Amino acid sequence: MAPGRMKRVFTVVFLFATGLAAADGRANILAWPGKPLPRPPQRDITGIVALPTHDRACPVCGFVIAVPEPEKLMRGAGGEEPPPEWEMDMAEQDADLCPHPDRKKLAYQADILVCPSCGLAAKTGDFFSLTDPGLRAWALERLRPNIRAAQRQLLGKRGDQMTGEECAAFFNRQEELPDRLRTEQARATYAALRAPRLVQAEMNWRSAWAARRELTLPPGEKALAATAKNLREKLERQTAPPGGVEELIAALVLLQGKNRAGRERLAGAELCASLMLLAGLYARHGDREAADETLVRLRAVAGERYARAEQDPLWPATPSRASGPEREKALEDLRDGLEREAGMRRLLLAGEGDLLSRAAGLLKDALAAGEFDGDPERAVFYSYLIGEFLRRSGALPLAAEWFKAVQGLTAGADPLHARSASQLEAVSIQAGDRANLLSAIGRDGELFEKLRAICNNAAKIADSQPRGE
């Protein structure tokens, strides 16, 4: 890693608050407007055999879907009161509010329902009302081929021998469908429906979050999975509780360096696992450039070849009891697999950036169209998200302006005020000397004026209300 990048990482540790533990009552955890904080807790899924479901026919193709009932995992307030509405558990929260659930909690977007036969996807509350004939024809033409191709890819060679009906039946448990597929199908559905801009923006950021959570998964190569798990546990023991993202990045960068004797601390499987882990942490941090550089380095390491297989640092990761030729083949397969996975994760990273950029654009359109008029709390909250989505998609100068706008419209005690200050500092660190943060604002300047008008009008209305003695 270049010296400039190393310096930047350690500066980030103190100034860039992104990975936040969701301990109840912590002031720096942001809540969505109208949502309770602390959030309602979930029961552990380890205590149930399967998520409860009920059967209901898809309004497009008639396939009988096993509809999950995740609200039954929520803990109610006691007595006869029903449990609160389900939302994904949040053991940690990224700066753009992306939740990362605890390993013992339901870890997929269960409030989005997908038909495993035709691919129609929408929020559970909307799904069964989607009966328009035009939508039916579109879903069968556009959504079904996409989900069927994804299902066959997930099934591997077995999928080539299965009929479409057999594929749909196999995936008729919602947890069997990857969240990235689930959210992408929903994003396409709501775009086709020309749903309100805020709804479409949400589908884009949920798709981006699903991609990010996939970027944080352990290596797909079995030979490295245990190594990555041990490395993560080692890092968490070395960092101060709760071992946030910035502390983990700094510790991992240090671990990837050289010891006092000038030797690399990590090599072979440990180095590859650490690079994959670091890329995921940078993605959570919102530094896509650093994440991509790390994956490029991983691909280069995976592409190395040695004159003798026994000299290869990855040789110990191959089956020790296999014959020489078998181990050499396993080594080549491992390196090929790592190259593919590095490439796939780079595509995920790029896709996440594109989705967040679209979400920011849709939120701007919603603000311009008056969807937040009369509601300054929501207007300022989503303006913060615009800034954060722009930062994560690489539009650093505009992101800085949005954070400044939020700062100017919030008081020091408002969590958004402190968070905007932190993220504005993050933008400066990311940009360094490579970007001009005083570049032209363009159309966004008009949106800042509208945002100020929404807040000022609300203040005038509040001042005109009669006050009690």
Side-chain angles (χ1 to χ4, degrees):
M1 179 170 291
R5 172 69 70 190
M6 177 75 78
K7 180 180 178 182
R8 180 170 155 196
V9 168
F10 282 100
T11 307
V12 164
V13 172
F14 299 101
L15 297 177
F16 194 12
T18 50
L20 302 173
D24 286 353
R26 278 186 59 171
N28 58 357
I29 295 297
L30 296 182
W32 296 91
K35 293 284 187 178
L37 188 70
R39 292 154 55 107
Q42 284 186 32
R43 293 166 50 200
D44 289 352
I45 59 174
T46 52
I48 62 171
V49 176
L51 187 65
T53 62
H54 65 271
D55 290 343
R56 193 165 175 183
C58 171
V60 162
C61 67
F63 181 86
V64 179
I65 307 170
V67 181
E69 299 173 347
E71 67 278 2
K72 293 187 178 179
L73 288 181
M74 305 302 293
R75 297 189 185 278
E80 298 301 318
E81 186 175 338
E85 182 180 350
W86 181 88
E87 59 179 306
M88 183 176 282
D89 177 68
M90 187 179 67
E92 289 184 312
Q93 179 193 65
D94 292 342
D96 63 348
L97 281 71
C98 172
H100 294 269
D102 186 271
R103 283 170 289 186
K104 296 180 181 179
K105 307 297 183 183
L106 196 62
Y108 71 95
Q109 205 68 62
D111 56 346
I112 291 178
L113 184 62
V114 184
C115 174
S117 178
C118 69
L120 181 71
K123 293 183 177 181
T124 307
D126 298 335
F127 187 90
F128 294 102
S129 64
L130 302 180
T131 56
D132 183 85
L135 178 67
R136 180 181 187 277
W138 174 83
L140 294 176
E141 179 185 351
R142 301 290 296 276
L143 293 180
R144 173 173 275 175
N146 187 58
I147 196 168
R148 193 70 74 243
Q151 288 169 342
R152 294 191 191 283
Q153 184 178 13
L154 289 166
L155 289 166
K157 294 181 180 179
R158 176 172 50 163
D160 296 335
Q161 311 301 322
M162 295 172 66
T163 65
E165 292 78 8
E166 289 171 335
C167 287
F170 184 90
F171 285 98
N172 199 14
R173 296 291 301 188
Q174 292 290 307
E175 61 267 32
E176 297 291 335
L177 294 168
D179 235 18
R180 190 160 53 96
L181 176 62
R182 171 190 317 284
T183 53
E184 182 59 25
Q185 295 286 107
R187 188 188 70 79
T189 298
Y190 281 106
L193 289 169
R194 300 183 186 276
R197 297 170 185 85
L198 181 56
V199 175
Q200 291 193 56
E202 180 185 355
M203 291 301 108
N204 275 274
W205 76 59
R206 285 201 188 193
S207 292
W209 290 353
R212 190 183 312 160
R213 284 191 289 266
E214 197 164 319
L215 278 164
T216 64
L217 291 176
E221 292 294 322
K222 293 181 180 179
L224 297 185
T227 301
K229 180 176 181 292
N230 294 337
L231 186 59
R232 179 65 187 247
E233 291 173 351
K234 179 181 178 180
L235 286 171
E236 290 176 346
R237 288 194 299 269
Q238 291 178 350
T239 54
V245 172
E246 51 279 354
E247 289 88 355
L248 291 171
I249 288 176
L252 195 49
V253 169
L254 182 63
L255 196 60
Q256 288 179 357
K258 296 181 179 181
N259 59 23
R260 292 182 180 178
R263 296 178 180 176
E264 300 289 345
R265 291 191 177 94
L266 298 179
E270 278 196 323
L271 176 59
C272 292
S274 73
L275 289 170
M276 208 167 291
L277 177 58
L278 182 60
L281 290 171
Y282 274 134
R284 286 196 56 192
H285 235 319
D287 194 338
R288 288 179 55 241
E289 182 183 349
D292 192 59
E293 287 176 3
T294 304
L295 291 170
V296 168
R297 184 183 171 196
L298 171 62
R299 194 163 188 174
V301 170
E304 292 176 356
R305 296 296 186 272
Y306 292 78
R308 294 174 56 192
E310 313 88 76
Q311 297 174 331
D312 195 310
L314 284 172
W315 182 255
T318 60
S320 58
R321 296 184 179 181
S323 66
E326 288 173 336
R327 289 191 74 176
E328 289 180 14
K329 184 179 184 307
L331 178 64
E332 192 62 28
D333 290 345
L334 175 58
R335 285 194 172 277
D336 286 345
L338 279 172
E339 284 190 273
R340 284 194 302 273
E341 188 160 3
M344 288 171 59
R345 292 193 180 217
R346 289 189 73 195
L347 290 175
L348 274 176
L349 187 65
E352 182 210 17
D354 290 343
L355 289 163
L356 291 179
S357 180
R358 290 181 196 170
L362 285 161
L363 286 176
K364 289 182 190 181
D365 292 343
L367 176 61
E371 290 189 25
F372 306 133
D373 286 2
D375 194 341
E377 180 186 5
R378 292 174 74 232
V380 173
F381 180 88
Y382 287 113
S383 294
Y384 166 80
L385 282 187
I386 290 173
E388 182 60 10
F389 292 160
L390 288 172
R391 180 184 73 82
R392 288 173 175 270
S393 58
L396 300 180
L398 273 183
E401 295 302 324
W402 280 93
F403 290 135
K404 290 175 187 176
V406 172
Q407 271 194 291
L409 293 169
T410 52
D414 190 327
L416 279 176
H417 187 87
R419 187 70 73 85
S420 295
S422 174
Q423 300 313 98
L424 184 58
E425 188 65 52
V427 169
S428 297
I429 294 169
Q430 280 181 254
D433 298 327
R434 297 163 300 146
N436 175 18
L437 296 184
L438 298 177
S439 60
I441 296 174
R443 173 217 180 193
D444 293 52
E446 299 175 7
L447 296 178
F448 297 148
E449 290 295 329
K450 182 171 182 61
L451 180 60
R452 282 191 285 271
I454 292 172
C455 294
N456 291 337
N457 289 341
K460 289 177 182 177
I461 292 172
D463 287 343
S464 68
Q465 298 298 320
R467 291 182 170 85
E469 296 297 328

